[in-house]
Amino acid sequence: MKNWAANLTYSSERIERPRTLAELAGIVAGEPRVRALGSRHSFCDVADTTGVHVQLDLLDDGRPSLEVDPGTGVASVRAGLRYGELAAGLHAEGRALGAMASLPHISVAGAVATGTHGSGDGTRSLAGDVVGVELMTASGEVVILRRGDADFPGSVVALGALGIVTRVELATVPTFDVRQDVFTGLPWDALFENLDAVMGSAYSVSIFTSWFEPDVRMVWCKSKVSAGGEAPTLLVELGAAPATEPMHPLPDVAAVACTEQGGVPGPWFERLPHFRLDFTPSLGEELQTEYLLPRTAGPDAVRALRALGDRIGPLLLTSEIRTIAGDDQWLSTTGEDSIAFHFTWQQDWPAVRALLPELEAALLPLGARPHWGKLFTVPVADLPGLYPRFEDFADLAARLDPTGKFRGGYVEDLLAR
Protein backbone atom coordinates (compact mmCIF):
# COMPACT_ATOMS: atom_id res chain seq x y z
CA MET A 1 0.00 0.00 0.00
CA LYS A 2 1.15 3.52 -0.81
CA ASN A 3 0.71 6.83 0.95
CA TRP A 4 -1.69 9.50 -0.33
CA ALA A 5 0.87 11.10 -2.65
CA ALA A 6 2.03 7.66 -3.91
CA ASN A 7 5.69 8.57 -3.35
CA LEU A 8 6.09 5.94 -0.59
CA THR A 9 5.31 2.21 -0.56
CA TYR A 10 4.87 0.92 2.99
CA SER A 11 6.98 -1.98 4.22
CA SER A 12 4.34 -3.73 6.34
CA GLU A 13 3.48 -7.41 5.94
CA ARG A 14 -0.25 -6.70 6.07
CA ILE A 15 -2.86 -4.23 7.28
CA GLU A 16 -5.43 -5.01 9.98
CA ARG A 17 -8.58 -3.00 10.69
CA PRO A 18 -9.72 -4.10 14.16
CA ARG A 19 -13.33 -3.47 15.12
CA THR A 20 -13.00 -3.75 18.92
CA LEU A 21 -10.43 -2.95 21.58
CA ALA A 22 -10.15 -6.67 22.33
CA GLU A 23 -9.30 -7.36 18.70
CA LEU A 24 -6.73 -4.56 18.72
CA ALA A 25 -5.19 -5.90 21.95
CA GLY A 26 -4.85 -9.33 20.34
CA ILE A 27 -2.94 -7.84 17.42
CA VAL A 28 -0.68 -5.77 19.66
CA ALA A 29 0.08 -8.69 21.97
CA GLY A 30 0.60 -11.17 19.15
CA GLU A 31 2.87 -9.19 16.83
CA PRO A 32 6.53 -8.31 17.39
CA ARG A 33 6.14 -5.15 15.28
CA VAL A 34 2.97 -3.10 14.88
CA ARG A 35 2.20 0.56 14.11
CA ALA A 36 -0.89 2.65 13.64
CA LEU A 37 -1.52 4.08 10.18
CA GLY A 38 -3.83 7.06 9.86
CA SER A 39 -5.04 8.75 6.69
CA ARG A 40 -1.62 8.23 5.01
CA HIS A 41 -0.92 11.93 4.43
CA SER A 42 2.70 11.80 5.61
CA PHE A 43 5.24 12.05 2.80
CA CYS A 44 8.00 10.18 4.63
CA ASP A 45 8.24 6.84 6.43
CA VAL A 46 7.47 8.24 9.91
CA ALA A 47 4.55 5.75 10.27
CA ASP A 48 6.15 2.77 8.54
CA THR A 49 6.81 -0.70 9.96
CA THR A 50 8.13 -4.02 8.72
CA GLY A 51 5.45 -5.73 10.81
CA VAL A 52 1.70 -5.10 10.85
CA HIS A 53 -0.12 -1.85 10.24
CA VAL A 54 -3.40 -1.21 12.02
CA GLN A 55 -5.97 1.30 10.81
CA LEU A 56 -8.57 2.42 13.33
CA ASP A 57 -11.27 3.78 11.04
CA LEU A 58 -13.56 0.85 11.93
CA LEU A 59 -12.70 0.65 15.63
CA ASP A 60 -15.71 0.79 17.97
CA ASP A 61 -14.73 1.17 21.62
CA GLY A 62 -18.33 1.08 22.82
CA ARG A 63 -18.56 4.87 23.08
CA PRO A 64 -19.80 7.45 20.56
CA SER A 65 -17.17 8.56 18.08
CA LEU A 66 -17.52 12.09 19.53
CA GLU A 67 -18.58 13.03 23.06
CA VAL A 68 -18.57 16.62 24.34
CA ASP A 69 -18.59 17.30 28.07
CA PRO A 70 -21.21 20.05 28.48
CA GLY A 71 -19.48 21.43 31.55
CA THR A 72 -15.90 21.69 30.33
CA GLY A 73 -16.36 21.63 26.57
CA VAL A 74 -13.72 18.90 26.31
CA ALA A 75 -14.39 16.59 23.35
CA SER A 76 -13.49 12.89 23.52
CA VAL A 77 -12.81 11.68 19.98
CA ARG A 78 -12.07 8.31 18.40
CA ALA A 79 -8.52 8.36 17.04
CA GLY A 80 -9.46 7.37 13.49
CA LEU A 81 -11.99 10.18 13.00
CA ARG A 82 -11.07 12.70 10.32
CA TYR A 83 -10.89 16.37 11.26
CA GLY A 84 -13.62 17.33 8.80
CA GLU A 85 -16.00 14.83 10.39
CA LEU A 86 -14.99 15.90 13.89
CA ALA A 87 -15.49 19.58 13.06
CA ALA A 88 -19.00 19.11 11.72
CA GLY A 89 -19.93 17.16 14.86
CA LEU A 90 -18.47 19.81 17.16
CA HIS A 91 -20.26 22.60 15.32
CA ALA A 92 -23.56 20.76 15.77
CA GLU A 93 -22.84 20.81 19.51
CA GLY A 94 -22.11 24.54 19.44
CA ARG A 95 -18.35 24.01 19.85
CA ALA A 96 -15.25 24.64 17.74
CA LEU A 97 -11.53 24.04 17.57
CA GLY A 98 -9.16 26.98 17.67
CA ALA A 99 -7.35 25.89 14.52
CA MET A 100 -7.66 23.60 11.52
CA ALA A 101 -4.98 22.36 9.14
CA SER A 102 -5.23 23.17 5.44
CA LEU A 103 -6.70 19.70 4.84
CA PRO A 104 -9.74 18.44 6.79
CA HIS A 105 -9.13 14.93 5.40
CA ILE A 106 -6.49 13.94 7.97
CA SER A 107 -7.12 11.69 10.97
CA VAL A 108 -7.08 13.23 14.44
CA ALA A 109 -4.51 10.90 16.04
CA GLY A 110 -2.15 10.93 13.07
CA ALA A 111 -2.25 14.70 12.72
CA VAL A 112 -1.45 15.48 16.35
CA ALA A 113 1.24 12.77 16.47
CA THR A 114 3.28 14.56 13.79
CA GLY A 115 2.71 18.16 14.93
CA THR A 116 0.38 19.17 12.09
CA HIS A 117 -0.80 22.78 12.28
CA GLY A 118 -2.83 25.54 10.71
CA SER A 119 -1.98 29.24 10.82
CA GLY A 120 -2.55 32.14 13.19
CA ASP A 121 -0.44 34.20 15.56
CA GLY A 122 -2.65 33.16 18.48
CA THR A 123 -3.37 29.54 17.55
CA ARG A 124 -1.23 26.57 18.47
CA SER A 125 -0.67 23.40 16.43
CA LEU A 126 -3.45 20.80 16.45
CA ALA A 127 -1.56 19.04 19.24
CA GLY A 128 -1.99 22.17 21.35
CA ASP A 129 -5.72 21.44 21.66
CA VAL A 130 -5.08 17.98 23.13
CA VAL A 131 -5.73 17.63 26.85
CA GLY A 132 -5.83 13.83 27.05
CA VAL A 133 -4.49 10.80 25.20
CA GLU A 134 -5.78 7.23 25.52
CA LEU A 135 -3.40 4.64 24.10
CA MET A 136 -2.73 0.92 24.06
CA THR A 137 0.82 0.12 25.15
CA ALA A 138 2.99 -2.85 24.17
CA SER A 139 1.46 -5.00 26.91
CA GLY A 140 -2.06 -4.48 25.54
CA GLU A 141 -2.95 -2.25 28.48
CA VAL A 142 -4.91 0.93 27.81
CA VAL A 143 -3.50 3.95 29.63
CA ILE A 144 -4.71 7.55 29.75
CA LEU A 145 -2.40 10.53 30.06
CA ARG A 146 -3.95 13.93 30.73
CA ARG A 147 -2.64 17.47 30.90
CA GLY A 148 -1.02 17.89 34.29
CA ASP A 149 0.52 14.40 34.28
CA ALA A 150 4.31 14.46 34.23
CA ASP A 151 4.56 12.49 30.99
CA PHE A 152 1.71 14.20 29.18
CA PRO A 153 3.87 16.66 27.15
CA GLY A 154 5.63 13.66 25.62
CA SER A 155 2.46 11.74 24.75
CA VAL A 156 0.88 13.88 22.02
CA VAL A 157 3.50 14.64 19.36
CA ALA A 158 4.82 11.12 19.85
CA LEU A 159 5.31 9.83 16.27
CA GLY A 160 3.39 6.65 17.11
CA ALA A 161 6.30 5.45 19.25
CA LEU A 162 4.44 5.02 22.55
CA GLY A 163 1.60 2.77 21.44
CA ILE A 164 -1.62 2.75 19.47
CA VAL A 165 -3.64 5.89 20.27
CA THR A 166 -7.30 4.88 20.51
CA ARG A 167 -8.90 8.12 21.69
CA VAL A 168 -7.95 11.79 22.05
CA GLU A 169 -9.45 14.48 24.29
CA LEU A 170 -9.54 18.00 22.85
CA ALA A 171 -10.21 21.39 24.38
CA THR A 172 -12.87 23.32 22.45
CA VAL A 173 -14.27 26.85 22.30
CA PRO A 174 -17.73 28.19 21.43
CA THR A 175 -18.45 27.98 17.71
CA PHE A 176 -17.71 31.06 15.59
CA ASP A 177 -17.98 32.34 12.02
CA VAL A 178 -15.11 33.26 9.71
CA ARG A 179 -14.77 35.18 6.45
CA GLN A 180 -11.99 34.45 3.98
CA ASP A 181 -10.48 37.23 1.84
CA VAL A 182 -7.70 36.76 -0.70
CA PHE A 183 -5.27 39.47 -1.83
CA THR A 184 -2.85 39.33 -4.75
CA GLY A 185 0.32 41.10 -5.85
CA LEU A 186 1.84 42.15 -2.52
CA PRO A 187 5.23 43.79 -3.24
CA TRP A 188 8.20 41.92 -1.78
CA ASP A 189 9.60 45.04 -0.13
CA ALA A 190 6.29 45.50 1.67
CA LEU A 191 6.49 41.94 2.99
CA PHE A 192 10.15 42.30 4.03
CA GLU A 193 9.34 45.43 6.02
CA ASN A 194 5.96 44.36 7.42
CA LEU A 195 6.10 40.58 7.84
CA ASP A 196 4.78 40.53 11.40
CA ALA A 197 1.99 42.98 10.58
CA VAL A 198 0.91 40.97 7.53
CA MET A 199 0.88 37.69 9.46
CA GLY A 200 -1.10 39.35 12.24
CA SER A 201 -3.64 41.04 9.97
CA ALA A 202 -6.31 38.35 10.50
CA TYR A 203 -7.14 35.42 12.76
CA SER A 204 -5.38 33.09 10.30
CA VAL A 205 -3.07 34.22 7.49
CA SER A 206 -1.34 32.22 4.76
CA ILE A 207 1.08 33.65 2.21
CA PHE A 208 1.50 31.77 -1.09
CA THR A 209 4.49 32.36 -3.34
CA SER A 210 6.91 30.69 -5.73
CA TRP A 211 9.77 32.86 -4.36
CA PHE A 212 11.00 33.96 -7.82
CA GLU A 213 7.91 35.93 -8.85
CA PRO A 214 8.13 39.75 -9.02
CA ASP A 215 5.43 40.04 -6.32
CA VAL A 216 4.03 37.79 -3.59
CA ARG A 217 1.30 35.87 -5.42
CA MET A 218 -1.42 35.65 -2.75
CA VAL A 219 -2.24 36.33 0.88
CA TRP A 220 -5.24 34.44 2.33
CA CYS A 221 -6.79 36.17 5.35
CA LYS A 222 -9.33 34.32 7.51
CA SER A 223 -11.02 36.73 9.93
CA LYS A 224 -13.40 36.06 12.79
CA VAL A 225 -16.69 37.71 11.91
CA SER A 226 -17.31 38.50 15.58
CA ALA A 227 -14.15 40.61 15.59
CA GLY A 228 -15.68 43.16 13.25
CA GLY A 229 -16.71 41.34 10.11
CA GLU A 230 -14.67 43.49 7.72
CA ALA A 231 -11.90 42.50 5.32
CA PRO A 232 -8.39 43.42 6.52
CA THR A 233 -7.30 46.78 5.10
CA LEU A 234 -3.56 46.45 5.69
CA LEU A 235 -2.86 44.41 2.55
CA VAL A 236 -4.42 47.04 0.30
CA GLU A 237 -2.49 49.77 2.11
CA LEU A 238 0.71 47.83 1.39
CA GLY A 239 -0.03 47.58 -2.34
CA ALA A 240 -1.92 44.29 -2.74
CA ALA A 241 -5.28 44.03 -4.49
CA PRO A 242 -8.38 42.05 -3.49
CA ALA A 243 -8.78 38.95 -5.65
CA THR A 244 -11.55 39.29 -8.21
CA GLU A 245 -12.33 35.55 -8.35
CA PRO A 246 -11.82 32.46 -6.14
CA MET A 247 -8.21 31.32 -6.03
CA HIS A 248 -6.44 27.97 -5.57
CA PRO A 249 -3.07 27.73 -3.77
CA LEU A 250 -1.58 26.26 -6.95
CA PRO A 251 -1.31 28.52 -10.00
CA ASP A 252 -3.72 27.88 -12.87
CA VAL A 253 -5.82 25.36 -10.91
CA ALA A 254 -9.58 25.91 -10.56
CA ALA A 255 -10.68 26.77 -7.01
CA VAL A 256 -13.66 24.39 -6.94
CA ALA A 257 -12.04 22.27 -4.19
CA CYS A 258 -11.24 25.28 -2.00
CA THR A 259 -13.26 26.67 0.89
CA GLU A 260 -15.39 29.69 0.07
CA GLN A 261 -13.64 33.03 -0.37
CA GLY A 262 -14.78 36.53 -1.25
CA GLY A 263 -15.54 37.56 2.31
CA VAL A 264 -18.66 35.40 2.63
CA PRO A 265 -19.12 34.51 6.33
CA GLY A 266 -19.45 30.85 7.24
CA PRO A 267 -18.80 28.38 10.05
CA TRP A 268 -15.20 28.10 11.24
CA PHE A 269 -14.72 24.58 9.87
CA GLU A 270 -15.82 25.65 6.38
CA ARG A 271 -13.28 28.51 6.21
CA LEU A 272 -10.18 27.70 8.31
CA PRO A 273 -9.08 24.76 6.10
CA HIS A 274 -8.00 25.66 2.57
CA PHE A 275 -9.80 22.66 1.06
CA ARG A 276 -13.29 21.22 1.33
CA LEU A 277 -13.78 17.75 2.80
CA ASP A 278 -15.94 16.57 -0.11
CA PHE A 279 -13.19 17.17 -2.70
CA THR A 280 -9.81 15.57 -3.28
CA PRO A 281 -7.30 17.99 -1.78
CA SER A 282 -4.63 19.67 -3.87
CA LEU A 283 -3.19 17.62 -6.77
CA GLY A 284 -2.16 14.40 -5.03
CA GLU A 285 0.88 13.89 -7.25
CA GLU A 286 3.24 16.10 -5.28
CA LEU A 287 5.91 16.11 -2.59
CA GLN A 288 5.95 18.31 0.49
CA THR A 289 8.62 19.75 2.77
CA GLU A 290 8.25 22.13 5.69
CA TYR A 291 10.58 23.83 8.12
CA LEU A 292 9.45 25.59 11.30
CA LEU A 293 11.56 28.37 12.79
CA PRO A 294 11.37 30.71 15.78
CA ARG A 295 9.08 33.58 14.90
CA THR A 296 11.91 36.07 15.37
CA ALA A 297 13.83 34.42 12.50
CA GLY A 298 11.02 35.08 10.03
CA PRO A 299 12.40 38.15 8.23
CA ASP A 300 15.85 36.59 7.76
CA ALA A 301 14.30 33.35 6.50
CA VAL A 302 12.10 35.19 3.98
CA ARG A 303 15.11 37.04 2.59
CA ALA A 304 17.20 33.84 2.43
CA LEU A 305 14.50 31.95 0.53
CA ARG A 306 13.84 34.87 -1.80
CA ALA A 307 17.57 34.81 -2.65
CA LEU A 308 17.20 31.11 -3.58
CA GLY A 309 14.11 31.78 -5.70
CA ASP A 310 15.73 30.87 -9.00
CA ARG A 311 16.72 27.47 -7.53
CA ILE A 312 13.40 26.82 -5.78
CA GLY A 313 10.99 28.03 -8.46
CA PRO A 314 11.55 25.44 -11.21
CA LEU A 315 10.68 22.54 -8.86
CA LEU A 316 7.87 24.22 -6.98
CA LEU A 317 4.10 24.00 -7.28
CA THR A 318 3.58 26.50 -4.46
CA SER A 319 5.08 27.59 -1.14
CA GLU A 320 3.17 28.73 1.94
CA ILE A 321 4.16 30.84 4.95
CA ARG A 322 2.18 30.39 8.19
CA THR A 323 2.57 31.29 11.87
CA ILE A 324 1.83 29.16 14.93
CA ALA A 325 1.77 29.95 18.65
CA GLY A 326 4.16 27.96 20.84
CA ASP A 327 3.29 25.00 23.07
CA ASP A 328 4.94 22.72 25.64
CA GLN A 329 5.04 19.42 23.72
CA TRP A 330 8.45 17.75 24.03
CA LEU A 331 8.71 16.91 20.31
CA SER A 332 6.68 19.83 19.01
CA THR A 333 8.22 21.66 16.08
CA THR A 334 6.55 24.77 17.55
CA GLY A 335 7.92 24.81 21.07
CA GLU A 336 7.99 28.59 20.84
CA ASP A 337 6.04 31.05 18.70
CA SER A 338 6.98 29.94 15.21
CA ILE A 339 6.86 30.69 11.51
CA ALA A 340 6.54 27.82 9.05
CA PHE A 341 7.82 27.64 5.49
CA HIS A 342 6.03 24.97 3.50
CA PHE A 343 6.98 23.75 0.01
CA THR A 344 4.75 21.74 -2.31
CA TRP A 345 7.03 20.27 -4.95
CA GLN A 346 6.61 18.59 -8.27
CA GLN A 347 6.92 14.84 -7.83
CA ASP A 348 10.59 14.68 -8.82
CA TRP A 349 12.32 13.32 -5.73
CA PRO A 350 15.87 13.16 -7.13
CA ALA A 351 15.77 16.86 -8.02
CA VAL A 352 14.03 17.86 -4.78
CA ARG A 353 16.45 15.77 -2.70
CA ALA A 354 19.37 17.54 -4.38
CA LEU A 355 17.88 20.95 -3.53
CA LEU A 356 16.88 20.35 0.08
CA PRO A 357 20.43 20.61 1.50
CA GLU A 358 20.58 24.16 0.10
CA LEU A 359 17.35 25.09 1.86
CA GLU A 360 18.51 23.44 5.07
CA ALA A 361 21.87 25.22 4.92
CA ALA A 362 19.97 28.51 4.81
CA LEU A 363 17.34 27.69 7.45
CA LEU A 364 18.96 25.40 10.03
CA PRO A 365 21.31 28.12 11.33
CA LEU A 366 18.16 30.17 11.99
CA GLY A 367 16.75 27.44 14.24
CA ALA A 368 14.69 25.43 11.73
CA ARG A 369 13.09 22.10 12.62
CA PRO A 370 11.79 19.88 9.79
CA HIS A 371 8.15 18.77 9.96
CA TRP A 372 8.05 15.18 11.24
CA GLY A 373 5.69 13.98 8.49
CA LYS A 374 7.30 15.59 5.46
CA LEU A 375 10.49 15.21 3.44
CA PHE A 376 13.88 16.44 4.60
CA THR A 377 17.56 15.50 4.34
CA VAL A 378 18.67 16.51 7.85
CA PRO A 379 20.37 13.38 9.25
CA VAL A 380 18.07 11.60 11.68
CA ALA A 381 20.94 11.45 14.16
CA ASP A 382 20.92 15.27 14.26
CA LEU A 383 17.21 15.62 15.11
CA PRO A 384 17.43 14.91 18.88
CA GLY A 385 19.73 17.91 19.28
CA LEU A 386 16.90 20.18 18.08
CA TYR A 387 14.65 19.21 21.02
CA PRO A 388 15.75 19.99 24.60
CA ARG A 389 13.40 17.34 26.06
CA PHE A 390 14.24 14.61 23.57
CA GLU A 391 15.91 12.34 26.15
CA ASP A 392 12.81 12.58 28.33
CA PHE A 393 10.77 11.41 25.36
CA ALA A 394 13.17 8.57 24.63
CA ASP A 395 12.94 7.44 28.26
CA LEU A 396 9.12 7.52 28.07
CA ALA A 397 9.14 5.45 24.87
CA ALA A 398 11.47 2.90 26.48
CA ARG A 399 9.17 2.56 29.50
CA LEU A 400 5.96 2.11 27.52
CA ASP A 401 7.52 0.03 24.73
CA PRO A 402 10.63 -1.72 26.10
CA THR A 403 11.02 -4.09 23.11
CA GLY A 404 10.59 -1.48 20.40
CA LYS A 405 7.34 -2.99 19.12
CA PHE A 406 6.08 0.39 17.92
CA ARG A 407 9.23 1.51 16.16
CA GLY A 408 9.67 1.63 12.40
CA GLY A 409 10.67 3.89 9.55
CA TYR A 410 13.08 6.62 10.59
CA VAL A 411 11.63 6.51 14.13
CA GLU A 412 13.64 3.29 14.56
CA ASP A 413 16.87 5.21 14.07
CA LEU A 414 15.64 8.25 15.96
CA LEU A 415 15.21 6.21 19.15
CA ALA A 416 18.27 3.98 18.72
CA ARG A 417 20.63 4.11 21.69
Side-chain angles (χ1 to χ4, degrees):
M1 186 172 67
K2 294 182 179 293
N3 64 344
W4 167 73
N7 69 298
L8 173 69
T9 300
Y10 293 107
S11 307
S12 52
E13 297 173 353
R14 68 182 190 278
I15 297 169
E16 298 281 0
R17 299 172 75 191
R19 293 180 176 271
T20 66
L21 287 175
E23 188 179 346
L24 175 61
I27 297 169
V28 170
E31 299 292 338
R33 291 284 175 135
V34 59
R35 298 209 84 196
L37 189 63
S39 49
R40 296 182 286 125
H41 275 85
S42 289
F43 290 80
C44 62
D45 64 353
V46 63
D48 205 9
T49 181
T50 55
V52 175
H53 268 131
V54 293
Q55 290 188 294
L56 302 184
D57 53 326
L58 300 181
L59 184 68
D60 184 350
D61 60 5
R63 292 171 282 176
S65 59
L66 168 63
E67 294 180 292
V68 180
D69 185 310
T72 65
V74 170
S76 177
V77 182
R78 285 184 189 165
L81 202 64
R82 295 187 300 171
Y83 263 95
E85 298 160 341
L86 162 64
L90 283 177
H91 183 66
E93 297 277 347
R95 306 300 297 178
L97 298 172
M100 291 278 283
S102 57
L103 301 180
H105 308 71
I106 52 180
S107 67
V108 173
V112 301
T114 53
T116 301
H117 61 90
S119 186
D121 283 1
T123 60
R124 297 173 298 180
S125 74
L126 301 184
D129 284 333
V130 178
V131 296
V133 176
E134 178 182 291
L135 60 89
M136 185 172 290
T137 65
S139 65
E141 177 189 8
V142 174
V143 301
I144 300 175
L145 294 167
R146 289 196 170 94
R147 183 167 291 282
D149 295 340
D151 292 329
F152 174 78
S155 69
V156 185
V157 184
L159 313 180
L162 306 184
I164 308 296
V165 174
T166 54
R167 209 163 182 95
V168 176
E169 296 175 354
L170 302 169
T172 68
V173 297
T175 191
F176 57 94
D177 285 346
V178 173
R179 61 175 291 160
Q180 182 168 218
D181 297 275
V182 176
F183 300 86
T184 63
L186 178 68
W188 278 107
D189 285 346
L191 182 64
F192 292 151
E193 296 168 8
N194 301 277
L195 177 62
D196 284 345
V198 170
M199 298 309 299
S201 62
Y203 180 77
S204 173
V205 174
S206 290
I207 295 173
F208 291 99
T209 178
S210 292
W211 294 108
F212 69 95
E213 298 163 317
D215 296 309
V216 177
R217 189 168 70 252
M218 290 185 295
V219 182
W220 289 28
C221 296
K222 304 168 192 271
S223 308
K224 272 189 172 182
V225 173
S226 59
E230 300 296 328
T233 59
L234 175 67
L235 277 301
V236 174
E237 294 169 2
L238 293 177
T244 57
E245 60 183 0
M247 307 291 286
H248 191 285
L250 305 184
D252 303 319
V253 176
V256 63
C258 297
T259 50
E260 190 163 0
Q261 302 166 21
V264 179
W268 59 280
F269 68 98
E270 294 180 354
R271 298 295 184 274
L272 292 181
H274 297 333
F275 297 100
R276 295 164 54 183
L277 180 63
D278 52 346
F279 279 81
T280 300
S282 199
L283 287 185
E285 294 182 357
E286 62 193 47
L287 303 175
Q288 291 186 7
T289 292
E290 187 171 43
Y291 302 94
L292 297 99
L293 289 75
R295 180 65 184 270
T296 54
D300 288 340
V302 170
R303 287 184 170 85
L305 293 171
R306 174 67 170 157
L308 290 172
D310 60 340
R311 300 279 293 125
I312 297 170
L315 293 176
L316 198 65
L317 294 174
T318 195
S319 183
E320 182 178 6
I321 306 173
R322 292 179 284 180
T323 54
I324 313 96
D327 59 53
D328 61 354
Q329 307 287 338
W330 293 347
L331 293 193
S332 174
T333 51
T334 56
E336 58 186 299
D337 290 351
S338 299
I339 186 165
F341 295 90
H342 171 95
F343 304 86
T344 299
W345 307 104
Q346 300 174 31
Q347 203 168 63
D348 183 351
W349 177 230
V352 172
R353 181 174 53 196
L355 176 63
L356 291 186
E358 291 187 55
L359 295 188
E360 291 164 359
L363 298 180
L364 288 176
L366 300 176
R369 294 172 170 177
H371 189 295
W372 292 111
K374 298 180 182 179
L375 297 167
F376 54 87
T377 58
V378 179
V380 172
D382 292 348
L383 296 178
L386 304 179
Y387 297 89
R389 300 295 299 272
F390 182 84
E391 286 305 315
D392 294 316
F393 175 78
D395 289 342
L396 176 61
R399 279 189 280 124
L400 295 182
D401 180 25
T403 65
K405 183 187 292 280
F406 299 116
R407 299 182 189 182
Y410 76 74
V411 177
E412 180 87 26
D413 295 330
L414 184 69
L415 292 174
R417 287 178 161 180

